[in-house]
Amino acid sequence: MEPRVATDPCPTKVGDVASNVEDFTHSLDEILAAVEKIEKQVNEVEQFYQSTSNIQTSSNSKGCSKDKGQEKHFISAERQQQNAFRREAAAAKRMQELMRQFSTIFRQITQHKWVWPFMEPVDVKGLELHDYYEVIEKPMDLGTIKSKMEARDGTGYKNVREIYADVRLVFKNAMKYNDEKDDIHVMAKSLLEKFEEKWLLLLPKVAEEEKRSQEEEAEANLDVQRAREATFANMARELSSELLEVDKDLKNLKEMVIQKCRKLTSEEKRILGTALAKLSPENISRALQIVAENNPNFQATAREVDLDIDAQSDYTLWRLKVFVKDALEVNEKATADTAFNNNDITEDKKNSTKRKRDSCDAQAKTNAKRTKKVSIL
């Protein structure tokens, strides 16, 4: 019978088995928990950078040093909320000044002799305007606007354009509901024209403030984005260090397992060498890679390779032993499946299969000339 690779696990003293298994399991659980945590954080970092790739490109195009920029943004992030409060306070103060100037326009309009019909809400019931709410979607009057302008309970206007829109709505509603020849329509149209003329004088200041507010908001959003980039950059660096630690822990764990394993006997090494010779070319290459991983001087890719089994470390031998065992089992299963299927093939198919096999054998012989030559010592 052909020799087979021994499959005995690494034996230890019976009294030490439970303790060794417990130590190994505990260490492995800790590593797996660390890997799971790192994986979640890596996914979070990847998602962040994928969603902000355009912003990163824009930031890099400014020609700033990445590390210095990130450090600067990290510092600014600590003052981010403080800066936001200052910007909001300054913007609110400027808007209050614009609203003060608008109140002058509003006062001039409300002092006009034709303004009296528009100072109070329309008396829909008293005037029996049964279709008023069908025509007018949002009723408005100057008295309501004045009260909202003077409100100090947080319900007042926040922006001068809000007041402008409501004043304009008062006159537009009157013009919409009343006929063009009606006095109310004429009065509303005249007051609206006067109001628009005065508004145009204030509009450049309003537009300037709106532009400034948009720029400040964009800068604030950029500060937030940069602060997040710095945070995730730091996270990425920390993850890199943690991955190195996990790799180190895994290596230590492997060494611990190897130290608990016995050395292979001379007979086991001989069986291993014989089994290596039975591997397919692909599996031979993989086995040589295993040897090279722990032996930097080993030329796994050379045309001819001499593999000295006795010169290999216990760690390498045990890895080879497990690999060869699995590879041969897979090969045996494939061979058995092929034999089973061949029993059901008809005579014609057998002849066809024979021709194909002959062709494959010829190709295999050709490939064999190019196959790596491995000598097991």
Side-chain angles (χ1 to χ4, degrees):
M1 294 179 60
E2 289 292 335
R4 298 187 53 145
V5 180
T7 59
D8 296 338
C10 303
T12 59
K13 294 181 179 179
V14 176
D16 295 335
V17 171
S19 177
N20 291 337
V21 171
E22 184 177 353
D23 291 344
F24 176 81
T25 303
H26 178 70
S27 299
L28 186 59
D29 287 343
E30 288 184 340
I31 292 175
L32 291 176
V35 170
E36 183 178 1
K37 177 183 176 183
I38 291 173
E39 184 179 8
K40 291 180 180 178
Q41 292 177 325
V42 167
N43 290 337
E44 185 179 354
V45 172
E46 287 181 347
Q47 290 174 3
F48 170 77
Y49 281 112
Q50 288 174 358
S51 64
T52 60
S53 57
N54 292 334
I55 297 178
Q56 282 186 316
T57 301
S58 176
S59 299
N60 293 338
S61 66
K62 296 181 180 179
C64 298
S65 171
K66 185 175 181 181
D67 291 337
K68 291 182 179 180
Q70 288 176 344
E71 182 66 21
K72 177 181 178 181
H73 301 329
F74 178 74
I75 296 174
S76 66
E78 296 180 348
R79 299 194 301 267
Q80 181 181 333
Q81 187 174 12
Q82 198 174 30
N83 292 340
F85 285 149
R86 283 199 292 264
R87 280 194 297 266
E88 291 175 3
K93 186 175 181 180
R94 295 193 302 270
M95 183 55 65
Q96 286 297 325
E97 174 57 24
L98 288 175
M99 294 175 71
R100 187 191 66 78
Q101 295 180 41
F102 183 89
S103 65
T104 300
I105 299 174
F106 184 81
R107 186 168 57 253
Q108 292 172 352
I109 293 298
T110 56
Q111 289 176 351
H112 195 277
K113 61 181 180 179
W114 286 355
V115 79
W116 60 268
F118 314 105
M119 291 302 297
E120 300 292 338
V122 175
D123 186 4
V124 176
K125 185 176 181 179
L127 298 174
E128 298 183 351
L129 306 177
H130 305 297
D131 62 344
Y132 187 81
Y133 294 118
E134 297 177 4
V135 178
I136 304 303
E137 297 179 1
K138 182 183 177 182
M140 185 55 63
D141 65 277
L142 298 178
T144 299
I145 294 174
K146 184 174 184 295
S147 298
K148 193 172 180 180
M149 288 175 63
E150 296 173 351
R152 297 292 182 268
D153 58 357
T155 61
Y157 292 105
K158 301 296 189 298
N159 188 293
V160 68
R161 277 195 183 273
E162 295 177 357
I163 317 176
Y164 162 73
D166 277 355
V167 173
R168 194 169 183 274
L169 181 62
V170 172
F171 302 127
K172 282 291 185 179
N173 283 348
M175 294 168 62
K176 182 178 182 180
Y177 188 78
N178 296 279
D179 187 77
E180 291 183 3
K181 296 181 179 180
D182 192 280
D183 289 343
I184 296 297
H185 183 104
V186 174
M187 294 164 67
K189 183 176 180 180
S190 177
L191 288 171
L192 179 60
E193 291 175 352
K194 293 180 182 297
F195 171 69
E196 294 285 11
E197 290 176 2
K198 296 179 182 298
W199 167 254
L200 288 176
L201 298 177
L202 183 62
L203 185 57
K205 294 181 180 179
V206 175
E208 181 181 356
E209 173 57 28
E210 289 174 339
K211 180 181 179 181
R212 182 173 179 178
S213 296
Q214 290 175 354
E215 291 174 349
E216 289 182 349
E217 182 178 359
E219 182 64 25
N221 291 336
L222 188 56
D223 285 344
V224 172
Q225 181 64 27
R226 288 169 173 170
R228 294 190 67 205
E229 287 179 4
T231 299
F232 279 97
N234 290 336
M235 184 184 297
R237 285 192 290 269
E238 292 173 358
L239 286 174
S240 179
S241 299
E242 290 179 14
L243 283 171
L244 291 176
E245 287 296 320
V246 169
D247 187 58
K248 181 180 178 181
D249 291 341
L250 281 173
K251 289 181 178 179
N252 291 338
L253 190 59
K254 290 178 181 178
E255 291 299 326
M256 182 185 78
V257 172
I258 294 300
Q259 290 174 5
K260 300 296 181 181
C261 290
R262 61 172 172 77
K263 295 180 179 294
L264 266 66
T265 65
S266 298
E267 177 63 15
E268 286 175 323
K269 291 179 182 180
R270 185 190 66 79
I271 295 175
L272 176 59
T274 303
L276 280 168
K278 297 168 59 179
L279 294 178
S280 66
E282 293 79 8
N283 285 333
I284 281 288
S285 296
R286 176 61 189 132
L288 295 178
Q289 290 176 8
I290 292 175
V291 175
E293 288 176 8
N294 292 276
N295 188 352
N297 296 325
F298 183 74
Q299 300 296 323
T301 58
R303 180 68 177 176
E304 296 185 2
V305 179
D306 292 330
L307 177 58
D308 187 354
I309 293 292
D310 291 328
Q312 306 308 314
S313 66
D314 293 333
Y315 176 65
T316 299
L317 291 175
W318 276 106
R319 287 191 63 191
L320 283 174
K321 183 177 180 181
V322 173
F323 172 76
V324 171
K325 170 183 173 294
D326 293 341
L328 292 180
E329 286 181 352
V330 170
N331 184 62
E332 289 178 0
K333 184 178 184 301
T335 302
D337 291 341
T338 301
F340 177 79
N341 293 333
N342 286 342
N343 292 332
D344 297 331
I345 299 177
T346 62
E347 193 64 32
D348 290 339
K349 289 184 179 180
K350 285 183 179 180
N351 294 333
S352 175
T353 301
K354 184 177 184 302
R355 287 193 298 270
K356 291 181 180 179
R357 186 182 300 112
D358 292 342
S359 176
C360 291
D361 289 343
Q363 183 65 37
K365 291 179 180 179
T366 302
N367 292 339
K369 297 179 181 179
R370 300 193 296 265
T371 302
K372 183 190 302 293
K373 181 179 180 181
V374 180
S375 300
I376 310 298
L377 303 179

